[in-house]
Structure formats: structure tokens, C-alpha cells
Amino acid sequence: MTTVDVDLDKLFGPDEPKTNVVPISKKAVTFKRGDHVEIGQKVIDKYVAKGDPPMVYTDGEFYLYRPADGKWEIVQRETIACTIHDFAGEAVYAGAEKTKPLLVRSSDIRGGVEVMRAETNKPGFFSGVRPGILFRNGFVTFRNNKPALLNHSHEHKARLKYDFDYVPKAEPKLLIAFLNSIYRDDADREERVAFDQEFFGACLMGLAPKFHRCSIKINRVGGNGKSTLSRIISAMMPPGSVCSIPPQSWGSGRSGEYDRAMLAGKLLNTVTELPSGDLDNLETFKGIIAGDPVPARHIEKD
């Protein structure tokens, strides 16, 4: 058998590079250390422009204020992960006027997010906000029982928005006509129509829990418009403000925690059917209707 000496380094390169550092003059330093703390802080600095309100972590989500829109928007974890991915290969100071490329692992993403959460954590940030509705041309609130249009501001802490202008003299003629039609055979029709207007207006302003009330429509006969009313009101609410979490799922246990968390930041919860029997979580039900604090968490989050 004949043997041949082969220089594997020439064919495939050496197994271990002698060094992966480069002179600083060839590439500016982006990271001093490249640890989780610096990664998390770099992400925050990348998202928050100079002079803008700081990033906020609350209700299990990261929020940024968008001045052009006038509202606070959720920054998805996937977006943050992609931002950290983009740091891969950036220059990290390696001493002696040299740098090395940043290596990004899954643990670095988790660690960076944990640092961001610690740096921006503000529990209850959206509690006690000024009642109002955000439109494209401003923020509508009430002063002396009259609607007032204010300029966009981060201080309004608005998370939901209509993508059209506020028109002061607009009237919901079709809605009023529909409400009158579904209560046409009731002696207290006017009171029912007024109640629906007031109730859904309170939901829209985020004030409904202050009245400790929910609205239950009893379907005495088929085709009475109950489902249609639910669809109309849901479509009238700002995008992202409606959910459908049955009260019977607000109970104890991990599943209840997850379902309750889905109510956070919503203005209206509408359910087409309710259980015929008693609720086994009556205290939790009453607490949520009244706007009391209740424990909850999102899946795989705090």
C-alpha cells in the first residue's frame, strides 16, 4: 500500500484559527464588552430616538411611543430577536487595539431581553389613564361634559387608534335605527336604546368597569338581532380593542391565568353564548367586571 503525505491545512484550512481579532483601525468598535447587559441596552438605544419617551415594559409586553401615530405600540419579541440577530459580527473590543466579531447565540437573545425588561419595567403604566379615544387628527376626551380634541401626546398613553379623523357632528343614524328595530316591541324601547349607547360609549372610553356592570342580552326568540348587534359593536371598536374570552374560562389554574391575561388592554369583551348553569368563579367574574386587580400572565411570560 502506498501512502501519500497531504497538507490538510492547504486543502481545508487549519482546524482552529490562530486568531479572530482584527486591528481597531479596520473596523470601529460597536461593543465594549458584548455581554447581555450591553446587548439589551443597545437594543433600547436603537429603538428609542433622541427626545422620545423611553421604552416601557408592562402588562407582559414591551411598548414604544410612535409620535407620528400618537400611540404606544407593542414591540413583538420576534422583532427584538431579529434586532439582536443583526448585531452578529459587530466589532467587540478585544484589547490591545483589536476587535473580535460578536457571536449571537439563543442565550444571548434571552439574556438581552431579560436586561431590557429589567431596564424598562413599569408595572401599571397604563393604569389611571385619561379617558379618551385616539383618532388620526388628535385625541378626543371630555371637558365639562363636552368632547375636546387634543393634540397627540405620549402622556395620553393611548394604545388603540381609529385610522380616520374625528368629525364632531357625525351622527350614528343607522345604528340608532337598528337599535330601535330590535327593541320595537318593548315598552321601554327608548331606555334600552339609550342604555346600549351609553354602555358601548363607556366601553369605547375605557370607563365601563367604573360602573361595575356588564350587558347581557337574553334571546327570548330566534332572529332578534342579538348576534348582529354584537358584530356591529365589535366592528365599531378600534382595531385590536376587542376580545372574546368566555367568563367561565376566567377561573383558577394556569388556563385561567392565560385567559385573564388576554383581557389586558382591551376595551370590549363580547361573548355570543353564556353557560346555563352558575359560574364557579363568581368572585373573579365580579372582580373583572368591576375593574379590580386580578392575577394573570401570558403564555411563557411573567
Side-chain angles (χ1 to χ4, degrees):
M1 180 176 65
T2 303
T3 61
V4 178
D5 292 331
V6 177
D7 190 342
L8 295 179
D9 285 351
K10 289 183 178 180
L11 288 176
F12 304 108
D15 291 336
E16 295 292 338
K18 295 180 180 180
T19 179
N20 61 348
V21 297
V22 296
I24 288 180
S25 59
K26 292 185 178 180
K27 192 171 185 180
V29 174
T30 303
F31 291 88
K32 294 179 180 179
R33 304 179 308 276
D35 56 17
H36 295 170
V37 174
E38 195 173 17
I39 288 174
Q41 291 172 340
K42 285 285 185 181
V43 176
I44 295 173
D45 293 341
K46 190 177 182 68
Y47 285 158
V48 181
K50 186 177 181 180
D52 285 349
M55 176 180 278
V56 170
Y57 179 81
T58 188
D59 292 345
E61 302 286 359
F62 290 98
Y63 285 87
L64 273 178
Y65 179 70
R66 307 293 188 186
D69 295 325
K71 73 171 184 175
W72 292 82
E73 290 187 349
I74 293 177
V75 183
Q76 299 293 344
R77 298 294 181 95
E78 293 79 6
T79 303
I80 295 174
C82 289
T83 302
I84 298 177
H85 286 164
D86 291 340
F87 290 150
E90 293 288 344
V92 182
Y93 179 68
E97 298 185 354
K98 294 182 179 180
T99 66
K100 60 182 179 181
L102 178 68
L103 301 178
V104 177
R105 307 173 181 84
S106 59
S107 59
D108 298 316
I109 296 174
R110 292 193 299 269
V113 171
E114 287 298 316
V115 170
M116 292 177 62
R117 188 178 67 178
E119 293 277 348
T120 62
N121 190 32
K122 287 190 177 182
F125 178 77
F126 292 109
S127 299
V129 297
R130 184 173 194 166
I133 312 167
L134 185 63
F135 289 83
R136 190 168 54 193
N137 61 337
F139 182 79
V140 176
T141 186
F142 281 82
R143 288 178 173 175
N144 299 322
N145 293 325
K146 294 182 179 180
L149 182 64
L150 308 180
N151 293 329
H152 291 164
S153 171
H154 66 92
E155 295 180 350
H156 299 147
K157 297 182 179 180
R159 289 185 278 183
L160 304 164
K161 180 184 179 181
Y162 282 125
D163 194 27
F164 52 84
D165 289 346
Y166 169 66
V167 181
K169 296 183 179 181
E171 296 182 12
K173 295 180 180 180
L174 291 178
L175 176 62
I176 302 302
F178 173 72
L179 292 175
N180 276 299
S181 69
I182 62 176
Y183 299 130
R184 61 186 178 277
D185 298 326
D186 297 301
D188 56 350
R189 181 184 63 184
E190 293 184 0
E191 287 82 356
R192 290 173 182 266
V193 172
F195 169 80
D196 280 345
Q197 287 184 271
E198 292 178 9
F199 180 79
F200 292 116
C203 291
L204 186 59
M205 298 292 288
L207 294 172
K210 294 182 179 295
F211 298 97
H212 296 199
R213 294 288 186 275
C214 65
S215 176
I216 299 177
K217 304 297 184 184
I218 300 175
N219 191 4
R220 292 188 295 267
V221 294
N224 67 347
K226 181 186 68 171
S227 298
T228 303
L229 176 61
S230 177
R231 291 195 298 270
I232 290 174
I233 297 301
S234 297
M236 287 170 52
M237 304 295 284
S241 66
V242 180
C243 60
S244 183
I245 314 299
Q248 58 268 30
S249 68
W250 298 352
S252 59
R254 182 169 298 178
S255 177
E257 286 184 342
Y258 296 155
D259 288 334
R260 293 194 296 271
M262 295 172 68
L263 296 168
K266 304 300 182 183
L267 297 177
L268 174 68
N269 183 56
T270 175
V271 180
T272 56
E273 299 294 337
L274 291 175
S276 57
D278 294 336
L279 293 172
D280 58 3
N281 56 336
L282 188 57
E283 291 302 318
T284 301
F285 174 82
K286 291 167 60 179
I288 290 177
I289 295 301
D292 296 334
V294 296
R297 70 186 182 101
H298 295 287
I299 296 176
E300 297 182 354
K301 297 180 182 179
D302 290 342

